Amino acid sequence: MVINVVLGRQPEEAIAALARELTPENGLVLDAGCGEGYYSNRVAEEGFAVLGVDLSKFAADTAAKTARRERMNRGQASSTLYAVGSVFELPVADGSFHTVINIFAPCAPAEYARVLKSGGRLIVAGAGERHLFGLKELIYDDPYLNDPRRDLPAEGDGLRLLEVKNVTFTVTVDDPDHREALFSMTPYYWRTSREGHSRLAAAETLTTEVSFDLHIYKKA
């Protein structure tokens, strides 16, 4: 296993670059747990046909509308399709895709192995150990490093780990509404004391690392 550190690169650009590197020309990409299509639509800009699947009908609908608007702005033909479904029961045939991306959604290794072609690649993103550590320093008395994802593919899933890439950059958030919005999107929001919430609200600014680990697997 090789661990690479890529500093200062936005995660969507790193994921798009990986998709471009790992997927053959005219290849098919599946975004498992696509949410509102943020990463799906960026990968589609690389020229790949992308299917995004999410359990939320609202998210899939939003993703489709965003994709349509972006395509119209660029004058491009359609290259994305969105569907409602579970990552544990993807509505696609066996061996259909060259690449599967799984960005902070539940990981279903056996299902991803099923839909990948032989030699296909899986990209799984998770929080790096120092992801949002600056936020933790502000809201917690004893900030801690993140543990690795616990639902990564294991031996017997039909997927072999090739390497782990880390993407790390720093953000500064001055607007209190934006800080609160960022905080509310994290699991820390519900685990933080009133004092921690108050410290964030009273802060003049927030500077924190953003860190993602990208695990890359190959189907046998």
Side-chain angles (χ1 to χ4, degrees):
M1 180 180 67
V2 178
I3 300 179
N4 298 311
V5 177
V6 184
L7 296 177
R9 189 168 199 174
Q10 300 294 331
E12 69 275 14
E13 296 304 322
I15 290 164
L18 276 178
R20 185 173 62 245
E21 174 187 340
L22 302 175
T23 310
E25 188 175 357
N26 299 319
L28 301 177
V29 179
L30 172 67
D31 187 352
C34 64
E36 297 183 359
Y38 183 72
Y39 295 99
S40 313
N41 291 327
R42 178 61 188 88
V43 170
E45 292 180 21
E46 299 298 318
F48 302 115
V50 180
L51 170 65
V53 178
D54 198 272
L55 198 59
S56 167
K57 180 179 179 180
F58 172 81
D61 184 59
T62 299
K65 290 177 180 177
T66 300
R68 181 176 183 275
R69 182 174 63 251
E70 291 181 357
R71 287 196 305 271
M72 292 179 66
N73 289 340
R74 295 194 300 268
Q76 293 180 337
S78 175
S79 58
T80 52
L81 180 67
Y82 290 97
V84 177
S86 169
V87 298
F88 296 96
E89 294 182 280
L90 293 166
V92 297
D94 297 357
S96 301
F97 289 85
H98 299 89
T99 303
V100 173
I101 62 175
N102 174 245
I103 315 299
F104 298 111
C107 191
E111 185 68 349
Y112 302 157
R114 178 186 72 79
V115 304
L116 277 170
K117 295 179 181 292
S118 178
R121 307 303 171 89
L122 167 66
I123 304 169
V124 182
E129 65 174 13
R130 292 188 63 85
H131 183 54
L132 298 181
F133 195 76
L135 173 62
K136 290 182 177 180
E137 288 182 309
L138 186 58
I139 62 176
Y140 293 147
D141 295 327
D142 187 19
Y144 58 89
L145 298 177
N146 296 313
D147 293 326
R149 283 191 66 154
R150 298 178 181 178
D151 59 351
L152 293 170
E155 186 176 350
D157 287 326
L159 298 161
R160 178 169 62 89
L161 180 63
L162 298 179
E163 61 180 327
V164 182
K165 291 180 179 288
N166 175 265
V167 180
T168 299
F169 58 98
T170 300
V171 296
T172 298
V173 186
D174 295 324
D175 188 301
D177 291 336
H178 292 171
R179 289 199 301 269
E180 186 67 16
L182 172 65
F183 187 29
S184 68
M185 289 188 293
T186 72
Y188 318 134
Y189 186 85
W190 306 105
R191 306 172 187 169
T192 300
S193 66
R194 287 185 179 181
E195 290 76 11
H197 280 264
S198 297
R199 285 198 294 269
L200 179 63
E204 293 185 0
T205 189
L206 167 66
T207 298
T208 185
E209 293 169 86
V210 177
S211 179
F212 302 113
D213 289 336
L214 303 175
H215 299 77
I216 304 167
Y217 297 84
K218 180 179 180 179
K219 180 179 176 180

